[in-house]
């Protein structure tokens, strides 16, 4: 049997055509190439490993010094595993409703770890709580809209998982490479992370709100 194209398969499963998005297409093809030698691994195990890597990044960033550089690597690995579980499930025909639930729960646990990275680096706990709440509101709103009939993601926003991975990895890498703060300005990496998170989530929530309104309009 001929294997389904990864872009077409992802679009079918998620109800959103991303074939016109060059970045998404490139990422999906890369992930599916990486998934080929891992087809024997259950997708749920890959989801769980992603959560472990995310929280290991939090532990590694805590000592400071150059350790946040390793945390950045672990964050990127978390993002890769997040794509690998779905790629393996799609390529091997092991995708199932329970697996989608496991993947979603793993994603939210990893998101909490991503928010904990700037927190451990010294960010204000209140703002970190706001970020965590905004992420959960975004994901809950999408899931609820899909539950009442919205087909697809509603909108592919700037605040999706890849962006969260990139922001967290950059903050961790910056803290490891420049412990004294951002070059030239000397701003705290924790503060920079919080500001970027808030900006991205604010735009993402607006984008998703408009997408849901369009999708559910009578």
């Amino acid at each position: 049997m001929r294997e389904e194209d990864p872009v077409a398969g992802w679009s079918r499963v998620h109800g959103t055509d991303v074939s016109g998005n060059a970045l998404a297409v490139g990422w999906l093809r890369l992930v599916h190439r990486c998934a080929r030698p891992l087809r024997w691994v259950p997708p749920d195990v890959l989801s769980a490993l992603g959560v472990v890597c995310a929280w290991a990044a939090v532990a590694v960033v805590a000592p400071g010094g150059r350790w946040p550089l390793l945390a950045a690597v672990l964050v990127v690995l978390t993002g890769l595993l997040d794509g690998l579980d779905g790629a393996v499930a799609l390529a091997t025909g092991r995708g199932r409703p329970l697996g989608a639930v496991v993947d979603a729960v793993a994603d939210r646990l990893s998101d909490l770890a991503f928010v904990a990275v700037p927190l451990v680096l010294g960010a204000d706990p209140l703002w970190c709580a706001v970020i965590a709440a905004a992420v959960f509101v975004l994901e809950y709103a999408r899931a609820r809209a899909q539950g009442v009939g919205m087909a697809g993601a509603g909108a592919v926003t700037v605040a999706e998982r890849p962006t969260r991975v990139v922001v967290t990895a950059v903050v961790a890498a910056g803290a490891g490479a420049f412990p004294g703060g951002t070059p030239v300005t000397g701003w705290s990496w924790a503060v920079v992370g919080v500001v970027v998170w808030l900006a991205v989530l604010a735009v993402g929530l607006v984008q998703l709100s408009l997408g849901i309104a369009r999708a559910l309009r009578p």
Side-chain angles (χ1 to χ4, degrees), residues 136-197:
F136 275 76
V137 167
L138 186 147
E139 296 295 346
Y140 176 77
R142 174 176 286 148
R144 191 72 187 93
Q146 290 171 332
V148 297
M150 182 179 77
V156 179
T157 76
V158 298
E160 303 300 336
R161 282 276 294 179
T163 303
R164 300 172 209 166
V165 171
V166 170
V167 171
T168 307
V170 168
V171 169
F178 305 99
T182 58
V184 182
T185 62
W187 294 338
S188 163
W189 286 100
V191 172
V192 170
V194 166
V195 171
V196 174
W197 266 98

Side-chain angles (χ1 to χ4, degrees), residues 6-215:
V7 178
W10 191 97
S11 298
R12 175 180 56 78
V13 171
H14 293 84
T16 301
D17 183 10
V18 296
S19 59
N21 187 318
L23 185 60
V25 170
W27 170 250
L28 287 171
R29 295 199 186 286
L30 172 62
V31 167
H32 276 259
R33 276 200 220 64
C34 294
R36 285 172 186 164
L38 298 174
R39 293 185 178 188
W40 58 276
V41 182
D44 291 350
V45 172
L46 295 173
S47 298
L49 285 174
V51 177
V52 172
C53 286
W55 284 100
V58 178
V60 168
V61 85
R66 300 295 182 183
W67 284 103
L69 291 172
L70 176 57
V73 174
L74 289 169
V75 169
V76 172
L77 183 57
T78 299
L80 180 59
L81 287 166
D82 182 30
L84 286 174
D85 57 4
V88 169
L90 183 63
T92 60
R94 284 184 284 182
R96 66 201 198 288
L98 180 58
V101 174
V102 171
D103 179 58
V105 172
D107 286 350
R108 300 296 77 75
L109 291 174
S110 298
D111 284 336
L112 286 175
F114 293 163
V115 177
V117 168
L119 176 64
V120 172
L121 288 173
D124 188 320
L126 178 59
W127 285 116
C128 290
V130 170
I131 291 169
V135 170
F136 275 76
V137 167
L138 186 147
E139 296 295 346
Y140 176 77
R142 174 176 286 148
R144 191 72 187 93
Q146 290 171 332
V148 297
M150 182 179 77
V156 179
T157 76
V158 298
E160 303 300 336
R161 282 276 294 179
T163 303
R164 300 172 209 166
V165 171
V166 170
V167 171
T168 307
V170 168
V171 169
F178 305 99
T182 58
V184 182
T185 62
W187 294 338
S188 163
W189 286 100
V191 172
V192 170
V194 166
V195 171
V196 174
W197 266 98
L198 290 172
V200 165
L201 285 167
V203 175
L205 285 168
V206 171
Q207 289 177 312
L208 182 62
S209 298
L210 294 174
I212 290 175
R214 283 193 301 268

